[in-house]
Amino acid sequence: MKQILKDIIKNKIEKLLSKQYYCSLKDLNENKIIYSINNNVEQHYIKILAYKNCVVVCTSKNLYTKVQKLLQGKNRDEIFENPFVYGQTIHYVPDCNCTYDMTSLLKCEYESIFDEKILSLKGLTGFENSLAFDKNGFTSTKAVYIAKYCNEIIGVAGASNSSVNGVWEIGVDVIEKYRNAKIATNLVSKLTKQLLLQNIVPFYSASVTNVASQMVANRCAYVPMWVDTFGTILDGSSVYHNIVQNLSLKFIK
């Protein structure tokens, strides 16, 4: 049964990565560098993925040839260190061979809320990683677990649907003064268990610099499955964009 679940997680995650990085499922299981094109963007675009032994470099069409030339002969680490991308995110999936750590150092009340009932939390602030509403009161979060202490919501774990059916991303927030009591661990563990029972594959993401978030993943029996870059300095949205412009780098001309 565990092997079946492990295979389901692998297959769904690979389908997600194939869609996000415009590559084939076969590509993801190769031991080489794959170059692909995102034809849906007009601005300069670079996003890099490391999965198993494969590295996928996805670019806008106008950078495809230039990036290949720039990265020729580079190894995986050198590719991720190229100056046109920044930020690295580790993405985790549940380890089917481990049990979940459901302990907490603070006695809280826990409650699960799904679908339309989540709208009852509209107006709740301070939990932007797990539950955020736009100006129209809409949220992409489809499932949440909340932790209450003395009738106050002090922690939220939320899951939102990805671009592939049956794959949801989990985020978690805990009010600062209640951290280090394993509340985040408890919330993520409970939500993970609930999603898996509904045949939904959850994944959890953490910046390579966010050690506390990585520890939550570890305590919840999550294991790293892929790493990708957060952004590019070439599309004008980054604080680093002006540096590129000032240097007049020939690469983006």
Side-chain angles (χ1 to χ4, degrees):
M1 186 65 182
K2 289 182 178 180
Q3 184 59 46
I4 293 175
L5 179 56
K6 187 176 181 179
D7 290 340
I8 290 173
I9 291 173
K10 174 183 177 293
N11 292 337
K12 287 196 174 184
I13 292 299
E14 287 189 354
K15 184 177 179 181
L16 173 68
L17 297 179
S18 174
K19 186 173 182 179
Q20 289 183 340
Y21 286 87
Y22 300 88
C23 62
S24 69
L25 297 177
K26 182 177 181 294
D27 287 337
L28 292 172
N29 289 281
E30 297 282 1
N31 185 6
K32 63 181 181 180
I33 300 170
I34 306 294
Y35 294 91
S36 64
I37 298 176
N38 181 349
N39 285 310
N40 296 318
V41 292
E42 296 181 1
Q43 73 273 24
H44 295 303
Y45 174 93
I46 306 176
K47 195 165 175 64
I48 303 173
L49 161 75
Y51 174 73
K52 292 185 175 179
N53 296 315
C54 169
V55 173
V56 180
V57 182
C58 183
T59 71
S60 50
K61 187 175 181 180
N62 57 351
L63 294 181
Y64 181 72
T65 302
K66 297 176 182 178
V67 168
Q68 287 192 61
K69 184 176 180 181
L70 176 75
L71 299 181
Q72 186 175 6
K74 305 288 187 183
N75 62 35
R76 179 173 56 195
D77 290 335
E78 291 169 333
I79 288 173
F80 269 83
E81 291 169 357
N82 93 78
F84 304 106
V85 294
Y86 64 91
Q88 295 180 15
T89 304
I90 308 173
H91 302 275
Y92 300 80
V93 297
D95 184 350
C96 305
N97 296 317
C98 296
T99 57
Y100 300 106
D101 182 354
M102 303 290 276
T103 63
S104 177
L105 303 181
L106 189 67
K107 191 172 182 179
C108 300
E109 296 179 7
Y110 293 93
E111 179 184 355
S112 60
I113 306 174
F114 283 80
D115 301 323
E116 291 81 6
K117 292 182 179 179
I118 294 175
L119 295 176
S120 65
L121 298 174
K122 187 168 64 174
L124 186 66
T125 58
F127 303 95
E128 283 69 26
N129 291 318
S130 53
L131 177 64
F133 295 90
D134 63 21
K135 61 181 180 181
N136 297 316
F138 172 78
T139 179
S140 60
T141 303
K142 302 297 182 184
V144 299
Y145 248 95
I146 61 173
K148 287 184 178 181
Y149 183 69
C150 295
N151 295 318
E152 176 190 7
I153 295 177
I154 63 170
V156 177
S160 56
N161 204 349
S162 72
S163 58
V164 170
N165 289 335
V167 180
W168 292 13
E169 182 173 11
I170 289 180
V172 65
D173 296 284
V174 176
I175 293 177
E176 187 172 0
K177 67 179 180 180
Y178 294 108
R179 292 172 187 170
N180 301 315
K182 291 191 177 181
I183 295 171
T185 300
N186 213 1
L187 285 168
V188 172
S189 297
K190 288 178 179 295
L191 184 55
T192 297
K193 184 177 181 180
Q194 189 68 38
L195 293 177
L196 289 174
L197 287 173
Q198 297 185 38
N199 297 317
I200 295 169
V201 172
F203 70 93
Y204 180 95
S205 304
S207 165
V208 295
T209 63
N210 193 340
V211 177
S213 186
Q214 294 170 36
M215 290 175 65
V216 170
N218 181 265
R219 287 196 295 262
C220 294
Y222 272 69
V223 292
M225 191 167 188
W226 76 97
V227 176
D228 59 19
T229 54
F230 179 77
T232 173
I233 63 176
L234 300 177
D235 62 5
S237 65
S238 167
V239 295
Y240 302 107
H241 182 68
N242 289 335
I243 298 175
V244 176
Q245 294 293 81
N246 292 336
L247 290 175
S248 300
L249 294 176
K250 295 180 180 180
F251 170 73
I252 63 172
K253 290 185 176 180

